[in-house]
Amino acid sequence: MTDADAGGVATDLATFVSSLAAADVPEDAFRLTERAILDTVGVTLAGADAEAGSIAAATASDGHGETTVLGRDDRLPLSDAVFVNATAGHALDFDDVALAAMDGHPSVPMVAPLLAVGEREGASGRDLLTAFVAGFETQHYLSAPISPGHYEGGWHATSTIGLFGATAAVANLLDLSAERTAHALSIAASMPAGLKRNFGSTTKPVHAGQAARSGTTAALLAAEGATADSTAIDGERGFFDLYRGDGEPDLGALPALGDRWSILEDGIDVKKYPCCYYTHAAIYAAIGLADEYDLEPDAIDDVTVTASQGAADALAHDDPETGLEAKFSMPYLIGRAIARRDVGLAAFDAANIDEPAVQTVRRRVTLTVDDELAYDSNAARVAVTTRGGETYERTRERPPGTHDDPLSMDELREKFRMCADRAPAAVATDDTLAALSDLRSVADVSDVLESL
């Protein structure tokens, strides 16, 4: 079957994506999307100097291109630039998450394609924001029938679901028809990949790069007339069937597109710390305990962190040897939180991993699982016992920076500046911040990219 009019998930989703216009998007959704794009550009600038970002750039075409590479004095062909920018955006694991919507990182697979295609097309800021919303709602829509089984089964949703978000976002930006958008989504159904087994390595950021590039390719192929089976997502042995995990796909869980806005209801959670999101509540609690009780590394006898099974599955490195492994190490991160009262970008520099005070605490940290917590819960309880026999505990249900407890604009701008300072090339930080903070008013996204 190759007729997109035959019906099914791809057709229904394509109708929404292709018809979504700026006038349809609530203003609050535009505001949240502006914050997401600002944050993603910031972490991409810093990620350009990270190991995975540098490796991705080194593999890119040596030829001259037309597309801006963030944080570098380079221009590359569109596909290469999308891959390099999206990989850099996830290189530090500092990009936003949307666990309620898709069990992954929603923005990083979409922002690089939108900036690249937007630059080529002379798109406005409002065009980009609208396309982002189309992609975000797509990720929530396609995640709902197979979540959390898809993630529990070992797939990295940032790559596998994010791919469809990138496809839908670019299709909307290119103003593809419903028929061609349906084909784009069905083409994308042949492209998902990304294993959680590779968390803690330079391959994890590549997941975002390949999702962004593949989604862009799927949309561009459809724009040129490429076709795909209209049941490639929901048909027998289609995406849902093959990527569902242990459970059956629940098509009854598909949300009503355009009636309930996932970006407003489920939202986007912005990271305060550049590491696995499952650790953030524990880090925040540990810093609070260390500050309140003036805890010093040599005074610590034992630290027990209690979290969800999802956290235990993701945090595979008790004794990390690299910065990437440290991002997925609860003992290291809690050791850093207590010993240094800070978990910023410098915490993952190679020279700082073996810092004696941090290692003193790390060796005394144990991660345990609370079976009563939902698999993907981000709650954590930190209990610190001192050599003097005192025990101090703190529980936090949600990480800082969540949709319902967002970082302030001052905090967001501070994070952006910290990231921009790490870019390999000079960044006009003030100009970029001003433009991205009011992206709705930008007439041509190319003007913003000139400062990057």
Side-chain angles (χ1 to χ4, degrees):
M1 183 184 304
T2 58
D3 181 4
D5 293 330
V9 165
T11 302
D12 292 343
L13 183 53
T15 299
F16 168 77
V17 169
S18 63
S19 64
L20 186 66
D24 303 320
V25 179
E27 283 298 310
D28 283 350
F30 276 145
R31 179 181 59 81
L32 292 175
T33 301
E34 278 180 341
R35 287 171 56 94
I37 293 177
L38 184 154
D39 186 62
T40 305
V41 170
V43 299
T44 302
L45 293 172
D49 195 45
E51 184 180 12
S54 298
I55 290 172
T59 68
S61 170
D62 292 331
H64 297 292
E66 70 285 356
T67 307
T68 298
V69 180
L70 302 187
R72 294 182 177 275
D73 291 325
D74 297 325
R75 296 181 73 81
L76 291 170
L78 188 144
S79 179
D80 288 334
V82 166
F83 174 74
V84 170
N85 285 335
T87 300
H90 198 44
L92 296 169
D93 230 291
F94 210 3
D95 50 310
D96 62 33
V97 296
L99 301 185
M102 56 152 313
D103 285 326
H105 302 256
S107 297
V108 69
M110 298 193 297
V111 170
L114 287 175
L115 290 175
V117 177
E119 182 178 23
R120 189 188 75 174
E121 300 294 318
S124 70
R126 194 168 283 264
D127 292 336
L128 257 67
L129 296 172
T130 304
F132 182 104
V133 172
F136 186 92
E137 298 301 314
T138 292
Q139 291 185 60
H140 177 232
Y141 186 79
L142 294 181
S143 176
I146 56 174
S147 181
H150 174 71
Y151 188 82
E152 291 175 5
W155 295 108
H156 184 196
T158 303
S159 187
T160 54
I161 301 294
L163 158 68
F164 291 101
T167 303
V170 174
N172 178 275
L173 191 64
L174 292 174
D175 198 25
L176 297 190
S177 68
E179 180 179 7
R180 292 199 172 187
T181 300
H183 284 306
L185 293 164
S186 294
I187 293 168
S190 279
M191 298 177 173
L195 307 178
K196 286 166 59 180
R197 185 69 266 167
N198 272 319
F199 283 12
S201 74
T202 52
T203 298
K204 183 176 187 280
V206 169
H207 292 171
Q210 71 183 8
R213 178 162 60 186
S214 295
T216 304
T217 299
L220 294 176
L221 285 170
E224 294 297 326
T227 62
D229 191 306
S230 66
T231 63
I233 294 175
D234 58 332
E236 184 178 358
R237 298 185 181 179
F239 172 74
F240 283 160
D241 207 6
L242 297 177
Y243 288 78
R244 66 191 183 185
D246 290 337
E248 289 292 325
D250 181 9
L251 296 186
L254 288 167
L257 291 163
D259 290 339
R260 177 190 183 276
W261 295 93
S262 178
I263 196 167
L264 293 178
E265 300 299 326
D266 301 304
I268 295 175
D269 305 327
V270 175
K271 284 192 169 187
K272 186 175 179 66
Y273 312 112
C275 50
C276 179
Y277 200 56
Y278 277 120
T279 68
H280 285 214
I283 291 170
Y284 195 84
I287 291 175
L289 286 173
D291 282 340
E292 182 176 354
Y293 297 105
D294 196 25
L295 301 175
E296 295 298 330
D298 290 338
I300 304 299
D301 183 61
D302 175 78
V303 182
T304 300
V305 180
T306 305
S308 67
Q309 185 62 54
D313 287 351
L315 302 170
H317 302 282
D318 288 345
D319 185 9
E321 297 181 359
T322 68
L324 284 172
E325 290 181 354
K327 291 174 181 288
F328 294 87
S329 173
M330 185 70 86
Y332 172 79
L333 293 164
I334 298 305
R336 180 86 188 182
I338 291 174
R340 304 298 292 171
R341 313 301 205 257
D342 175 70
V343 180
L345 290 171
F348 307 98
D349 290 345
N352 294 331
I353 298 299
D354 293 327
E355 185 177 342
V358 174
Q359 290 297 321
T360 293
V361 183
R362 179 198 65 77
R363 288 189 287 268
R364 296 165 186 168
V365 177
T366 302
L367 173 61
T368 64
V369 172
D370 182 349
D371 292 330
E372 294 186 2
L373 290 174
Y375 175 86
D376 57 354
S377 171
N378 284 285
R381 181 173 67 255
V382 179
V384 179
T385 301
T386 69
R387 292 189 180 278
E390 299 92 350
T391 297
Y392 307 110
E393 291 190 13
R394 182 166 294 189
T395 298
R396 186 168 176 93
E397 296 297 326
R398 302 286 303 278
T402 58
H403 174 58
D404 53 5
D405 182 23
L407 299 183
S408 68
M409 278 306 298
D410 284 344
E411 289 176 305
L412 201 59
R413 291 188 181 104
E414 180 183 359
K415 176 181 174 180
F416 186 94
R417 291 181 185 281
M418 174 177 63
C419 289
D421 285 346
R422 288 209 166 207
V427 176
T429 303
D430 290 342
D431 291 343
T432 304
L433 269 173
L436 292 175
S437 297
D438 190 22
L439 193 55
R440 280 169 286 185
S441 301
V442 171
D444 188 334
V445 68
S446 299
D447 297 337
V448 181
L449 293 172
E450 288 180 0
S451 61
L452 296 170

